[in-house]
Amino acid sequence: MPRLYYTPIALALTTLFSVPSIAAETQNTQDDIIISASRVETKRIESGSSITVLDQQYIKDNQARTVAELLRDVPGVSVASNGGLGQTTSVFIRGANSGETLVIIDGIEVNDLSTPGGSYDFAYLMADDIERIEVLKGSQSALWGSDAMGGVINIITKKGKAGFHPTASVETGAHNYHKENINLSGAQGNSHYSLSASNLQTDGISAKNGEFDDPDDDGYKNQNISLKAGHQFTDIFTVDTVLRYSDAETEYDSFSSDANSTNQQRQAKLNTNFNLLDNQWKSHLSVAFSDSEREAFSGNTSESQYEWQKIKTELQSDYYFDTVNEYTQRVTFFAEHENDKYETTSAEYKMDTSSVVLGYGADWQKIVFVNAAIRGDFNNKFDDTSTYHIDVSAWVSDGTRLHASHGTGVKNPTFYQLYGYYGNTSLVSEESLSWDAGVEYNFADSDAYIDLTYFDSRYSDMIDTNYDSSTGVYAYYNIDEATSRGVELTGKVKVTNKLRVNTGYTYMETDNGEGDELVRRPKHSASINANYKYTSNLSANIGARYIGERDNSDYDDVRLDNYTVVNIGAAYQVQKHITLSARIENALDKDYEEVSGYNTDPLTAYIGISFK
């Protein structure tokens, strides 16, 4: 009998190579709209960059609590959590460090500048009210600046639609888990709005295992509130705004049995849009604010406190030339200014950055698409840098599309890496050069495609920690070079009107410059996710995910075992306004680790009810 962890790969390959029997469907995957690849709205197939789009239906079918749960199934993406729900969760794209992935929510950059690597902790981001997730892979600094050296995760929340649409949901499960969400959204005339609030609480599981285990449960709670609204004042002028606030508290295992941390996050953005010359010239001016306050406690005593703040002003202008001989061109210019501040109980640090970008896009007969960008960054702490990006997408037949991209990236050292406990003020900026090329086949008259992509990324001066024998302490330093290369296989298939299947497989080789793998980046990973609609009211979802062996840390020789996790769920619409849902996480009760010494959730059941 074949071993269980081969199952996702086998299912993925079986699905992909049985696709010719797919029933005719309206072609939807080609209409996936993305923003992250060129900073203007375009279709996924019109970009040569490698992009995965998780749409609203996929998110709904999976009944995911957090965005991290959804990202675990994206080819080329690795996720590692230090325990159960609410514990530190890192995301790696194609071997890049977690701090080298830029995370954007409704146009607001949310990477936490107070963390050592400047990464975003996905433990706190709930999946409620999310409309679309774009995962853009490869060096993207030309468009998005520092932090986008490895890729971009762009998250768009739901926008109010015509009428009034109140919704509410309640979910409960093991470990005294419960989650409540309410949303009031709508649109009338030229205005739209969406107001959401959610609460999640759980007693959790013990985060650590082994000799350092503190066997008490480590609880977690998270409250969020957000507002997304806008108004079109004239045919050429609109204003929209986003406000978000979250307040989370997490218990964790430490030398103190009462250790816990708090995290408060605030984001706001005001955006003005001008559409001139019959939408031939589009511009927007925006101001975005984001900050976070983190504090760690031992009992009632505060042990550490960190705060960061980012204010970003942006002007972007896109001009679309008249089509000549079925040849269309676009020129984009944007300028940004960013103020960053990092504060501890004993010090405060600031950095200012100004950037200018020139972008270009063209298509010929909707067959060949080209996008390019060049960027200059100027800040008051590091050398000025320039980055570039180019991608090409071309249809070579009715169903076959070739795509390729090439770009450079940069990542400035964080305040913590410069001035923290292991700080090194001699650090220089990290740099990357990446390229990928692939072939995608779209099945005629079907909502289905498969894609095979090869990628190659090289990182120079990547920042890591090392033991300094002269001082007897660990310190940050620049690695000469690290590499990551491999193959991604992606399939999105609507087998029939009732069955939808998403599959993915990644083979990735990494090297930290010393012949060792980059930590927590598996060589093999695969997933398959299927949703079947038995009737118009009843649907079921099953997902299986395989993660191969990988190194745990630079500081030990631990090799993490491979594992397969299976999740199942179902939803039943009782009547027009009420839906019941149920799901089982880790249905085979697999005992596994994403980080050595930290537990993961056992078999756990949840039930919920939603109203609309």
Side-chain angles (χ1 to χ4, degrees):
M1 180 177 178
R3 297 179 69 178
L4 180 60
Y5 59 74
Y6 291 128
T7 303
I9 302 175
L11 288 174
L13 295 175
T14 300
T15 301
L16 292 175
F17 291 107
S18 63
V19 170
S21 63
I22 296 171
E25 281 291 321
T26 303
Q27 206 157 11
N28 295 324
T29 55
Q30 294 190 20
D31 295 327
D32 286 339
I33 298 297
I34 57 170
I35 299 172
S36 54
S38 59
R39 295 189 62 141
V40 298
E41 283 196 0
T42 187
K43 293 182 178 181
R44 180 189 60 83
I45 58 172
E46 296 176 356
S47 171
S49 294
S50 182
I51 309 163
T52 297
V53 179
L54 305 179
D55 59 24
Q56 184 176 340
Q57 189 62 48
Y58 181 88
I59 297 170
K60 178 182 177 182
D61 289 344
N62 280 268
Q63 300 183 35
R65 296 166 298 179
T66 67
V67 171
E69 294 173 19
L70 296 164
L71 294 176
R72 281 181 164 89
D73 291 334
V74 176
V77 174
S78 308
V79 179
S81 178
N82 290 13
L85 190 63
Q87 303 296 325
T88 301
T89 303
S90 302
V91 172
F92 311 89
I93 296 180
R94 287 183 175 173
N97 286 330
S98 56
E100 296 163 353
T101 294
L102 178 65
V103 181
I104 305 168
I105 304 176
D106 288 329
I108 305 171
E109 298 178 8
V110 296
N111 284 49
D112 192 338
L113 304 182
S114 69
T115 62
S119 61
Y120 180 75
D121 189 349
F122 278 88
Y124 304 114
L125 185 56
M126 300 296 103
D128 300 317
D129 306 314
I130 290 178
E131 182 172 287
R132 185 173 79 250
I133 301 173
E134 304 169 7
V135 181
L136 176 63
K137 306 163 192 174
S139 302
Q140 306 295 333
S141 291
L143 289 167
W144 296 102
S146 181
D147 298 336
M149 193 171 92
V152 176
I153 297 176
N154 187 35
I155 299 163
I156 299 95
T157 63
K158 296 176 184 177
K159 178 180 177 179
K161 299 180 180 179
F164 177 57
H165 307 283
T167 64
S169 64
V170 178
E171 185 178 58
T172 185
H175 314 298
N176 286 327
Y177 165 90
H178 62 91
K179 180 170 74 74
E180 301 81 32
N181 174 263
I182 186 169
N183 175 266
L184 304 175
S185 67
Q188 184 173 10
N190 293 328
S191 300
H192 66 85
Y193 62 91
S194 179
L195 176 65
S196 298
S198 66
N199 172 68
L200 183 153
Q201 294 190 42
T202 178
D203 288 347
I205 62 173
S206 182
K208 286 187 177 180
N209 58 39
E211 61 179 308
F212 298 107
D213 179 26
D214 177 7
D216 68 316
D217 291 335
D218 294 307
Y220 171 63
K221 61 181 180 181
N222 188 338
Q223 287 83 38
N224 292 267
I225 186 167
S226 64
L227 172 67
K228 187 175 187 178
H231 181 76
Q232 181 173 346
F233 289 91
T234 69
D235 291 340
I236 64 172
F237 178 61
T238 61
V239 174
D240 53 78
T241 187
V242 175
L243 301 171
R244 297 179 62 86
Y245 174 76
S246 69
D247 186 358
E249 181 177 351
T250 305
E251 297 176 349
Y252 60 94
D253 288 331
S254 180
F255 295 107
S256 167
S257 59
D258 296 323
N260 69 292
S261 65
T262 60
N263 188 310
Q264 294 180 329
Q265 299 179 13
R266 291 167 288 268
Q267 294 118 33
K269 184 173 185 178
L270 179 65
N271 188 55
T272 59
N273 300 280
F274 302 87
N275 293 339
L276 306 172
L277 305 178
D278 293 329
N279 290 328
Q280 195 169 355
W281 183 16
K282 300 180 179 180
S283 300
H284 76 252
L285 175 65
S286 65
V287 178
F289 167 87
S290 57
D291 83 340
S292 174
E293 294 182 19
R294 295 188 297 118
E295 191 165 7
F297 295 87
S298 177
N300 295 321
T301 303
S302 175
E303 292 189 326
S304 61
Q305 185 174 359
Y306 303 94
E307 181 178 359
W308 68 269
Q309 182 185 98
K310 180 194 294 286
I311 300 176
K312 190 165 190 174
T313 305
E314 174 187 294
L315 172 64
Q316 178 172 332
S317 189
D318 309 300
Y319 185 79
Y320 296 81
F321 293 90
D322 291 330
T323 301
V324 177
N325 295 326
E326 298 185 272
Y327 183 71
T328 303
Q329 300 180 81
R330 165 189 53 81
V331 172
T332 295
F333 170 81
F334 58 91
E336 301 173 339
H337 183 75
E338 180 178 312
N339 304 103
D340 297 321
K341 183 175 73 172
Y342 169 65
E343 187 175 355
T344 69
T345 53
S346 59
E348 179 180 291
Y349 306 98
K350 295 181 179 180
M351 183 171 64
D352 295 331
T353 306
S354 296
S355 309
V356 292
V357 180
L358 180 64
Y360 174 78
D363 76 76
W364 178 68
Q365 295 184 339
K366 298 298 179 183
I367 297 175
V368 179
F369 304 87
V370 177
N371 295 281
I374 185 169
R375 180 190 189 100
D377 288 306
F378 318 93
N379 70 54
N380 61 345
K381 287 194 176 294
F382 306 104
D383 292 339
D384 299 339
T385 60
S386 60
T387 50
Y388 64 86
H389 179 86
I390 185 169
D391 63 74
V392 179
S393 173
W395 291 94
V396 295
S397 71
D398 289 343
T400 304
R401 182 176 72 95
L402 303 180
H403 59 87
S405 69
H406 172 66
T408 58
V410 65
K411 164 72 173 176
N412 295 325
T414 66
F415 291 115
Y416 187 90
Q417 290 168 340
L418 292 169
Y419 310 111
Y421 186 74
Y422 300 136
N424 177 3
T425 55
S426 299
L427 292 173
V428 299
S429 299
E430 301 172 287
E431 296 181 352
S432 69
L433 185 150
S434 70
W435 67 273
D436 57 45
V439 57
E440 175 182 298
Y441 187 77
N442 291 260
F443 293 88
D445 302 320
S446 301
D447 183 16
Y449 75 89
I450 58 173
D451 181 276
L452 182 66
T453 298
Y454 175 84
F455 63 89
D456 189 303
S457 300
R458 300 175 184 270
Y459 306 100
S460 58
D461 294 321
M462 182 180 276
I463 296 174
D464 203 344
T465 54
N466 190 28
Y467 181 74
D468 187 339
S469 58
S470 64
T471 61
V473 298
Y474 283 92
Y476 286 102
Y477 71 107
N478 291 104
I479 298 175
D480 289 336
E481 184 174 287
T483 59
S484 172
R485 58 177 61 91
V487 177
E488 295 167 356
L489 178 65
T490 304
K492 183 177 181 181
V493 180
K494 206 164 189 177
V495 182
T496 68
N497 288 339
K498 295 184 176 183
L499 177 61
R500 182 269 304 158
V501 178
N502 290 67
T503 62
Y505 168 72
T506 304
Y507 173 80
M508 179 171 62
E509 292 184 343
T510 61
D511 190 319
N512 67 355
E514 298 179 354
D516 297 320
E517 293 181 358
L518 293 170
V519 300
R520 297 170 195 166
R521 280 78 146 184
K523 181 174 289 188
H524 298 278
S525 60
S527 68
I528 182 167
N529 192 288
N531 184 269
Y532 187 79
K533 298 188 181 302
Y534 292 92
T535 68
S536 59
N537 296 330
L538 177 63
S539 65
N541 203 83
I542 182 168
R545 180 174 64 254
Y546 168 76
I547 303 297
E549 293 182 355
R550 61 244 178 258
D551 286 341
N552 173 69
S553 170
D554 290 327
Y555 315 125
D556 57 42
D557 296 324
V558 174
R559 184 76 172 168
L560 295 168
D561 292 335
N562 58 61
Y563 64 87
T564 298
V565 173
V566 176
N567 303 315
I568 59 176
Y572 178 68
Q573 186 171 342
V574 180
Q575 51 112 314
K576 181 179 180 181
H577 301 290
I578 301 175
T579 300
L580 299 177
S581 61
R583 73 177 192 279
I584 299 176
E585 301 286 340
N586 194 2
L588 302 181
D589 201 19
K590 178 69 175 179
D591 184 15
Y592 67 99
E593 292 179 319
E594 293 184 338
V595 178
S596 179
Y598 289 88
N599 291 310
T600 52
D601 286 309
L603 184 152
T604 311
Y606 302 88
I607 58 172
I609 183 170
S610 60
F611 308 88
K612 65 177 182 177

